[in-house]
Amino acid sequence: MNRLLGAACALPPALAFAAAFALSSPLPAQEAEAEATPAAPASTFGQPDPSLVTGGHYKADPHHTLVEWSVDHLGFTPYFGLFSDISGTLDLDPKRPEQARIAMTIPVTSITVASADLKAHLMKPPASEGGKPDFFGPKPEDARFVSTLVRITGDQQAEMTGNLTLNGITKPVTLQVLFHGAGTVPPQMGGGEGLGFDATGTLKRSDFGLDFGIPMVSDQVELKIAAAFMKDAAKAAP
């Protein structure tokens, strides 16, 4: 084969191209083998198709549910981190999506940031006994979001308002929610029915007593959420 390729390179450009094309073309036997090989089946488990959603009681998948937060740092760059290990429930009737109810628990201690020094600062105890920590302190309570209103705003889109409890303070927060997909999870990955959503929103951290560093670090926090749920077959929706 190497000798044939070397010979092809020594030919004039037009002939060299024809020789290279001939060498790269499959032989009849190779074509027959390719035709006999079945194409890979299309994905059937996660599809952006609302008709695949079935009503019932769902539990949040803590391994694939994430809350990304982002703030502006000194007007130079955004800085973002994640909350993980999130648990919760979703009760849903696809015929009445506006009646969907969700309750989520977000462990503040699960916060992930790129800087070890920043992580230490976020969990740093107050400077004096009985004082206020700069951010969450060493033993922060879990944050919690409980929906209070769902309004359908478009094709596979909704606006969800709920009460967010963070740092011991409860305030309403509104999220823009987009249906991402639903279907059956492959048996090798546990099986069952799953569905997921994307959501975005904003909040002011000062509303929750987290005002350290404002305005050098923005008061406004951008939220980007990936929420995955698995149907609890043992429990019917209320």
Side-chain angles (χ1 to χ4, degrees):
M1 178 61 73
N2 290 336
R3 291 180 180 179
L4 292 173
L5 291 173
C9 292
L11 294 173
L15 294 178
F17 176 82
F21 178 81
L23 289 171
S24 64
S25 300
L27 299 176
Q30 292 174 319
E31 291 179 340
E33 182 180 352
E35 291 176 358
T37 303
S43 171
T44 57
F45 38 87
Q47 299 291 333
D49 181 357
S51 69
L52 298 176
V53 177
T54 61
H57 182 76
Y58 290 80
K59 291 183 177 180
D61 176 357
H63 306 295
H64 300 95
T65 298
L66 297 168
V67 175
E68 176 188 304
W69 53 267
S70 176
V71 292
D72 181 85
H73 181 254
L74 295 173
F76 296 150
T77 57
Y79 189 91
F80 62 88
L82 295 172
F83 290 107
S84 59
D85 298 326
I86 297 165
S87 60
T89 59
L90 166 66
D91 291 293
L92 176 66
D93 180 352
K95 295 180 180 179
R96 300 175 179 83
E98 70 282 355
Q99 295 182 10
R101 291 295 178 263
I102 189 170
M104 306 294 284
T105 299
I106 305 102
V108 174
T109 54
S110 73
I111 195 167
T112 299
V113 292
S115 166
D117 287 343
L118 176 57
K119 176 67 177 284
H121 190 184
L122 293 173
M123 302 300 172
K124 184 180 178 181
S128 60
E129 187 176 350
K132 175 186 172 184
D134 290 342
F135 292 103
F136 300 114
K139 295 181 180 180
E141 295 182 4
D142 293 345
R144 186 165 173 79
F145 177 83
V146 179
S147 67
T148 56
L149 178 66
V150 176
R151 186 171 66 89
I152 306 305
T153 56
D155 185 25
Q156 304 180 30
Q157 299 179 49
E159 184 178 85
M160 175 179 285
T161 299
N163 291 321
L164 174 64
T165 301
L166 174 63
N167 202 36
I169 299 173
T170 300
K171 295 282 185 179
V173 170
T174 297
L175 302 173
Q176 304 304 318
V177 182
L178 176 65
F179 171 70
H180 192 93
T184 302
V185 176
Q188 63 269 32
M189 298 184 70
E193 294 182 54
L195 74 162
F197 303 89
D198 303 324
T200 58
T202 62
L203 59 82
K204 287 186 176 182
R205 60 189 179 95
S206 60
D207 286 346
F208 298 90
L210 301 169
D211 52 7
F212 182 87
I214 297 172
M216 293 177 290
V217 178
S218 65
D219 189 10
Q220 181 163 296
V221 180
E222 304 287 341
L223 300 175
K224 183 178 179 181
I225 301 165
F229 295 89
M230 292 297 300
K231 190 171 185 179
D232 185 357
K235 184 176 180 181

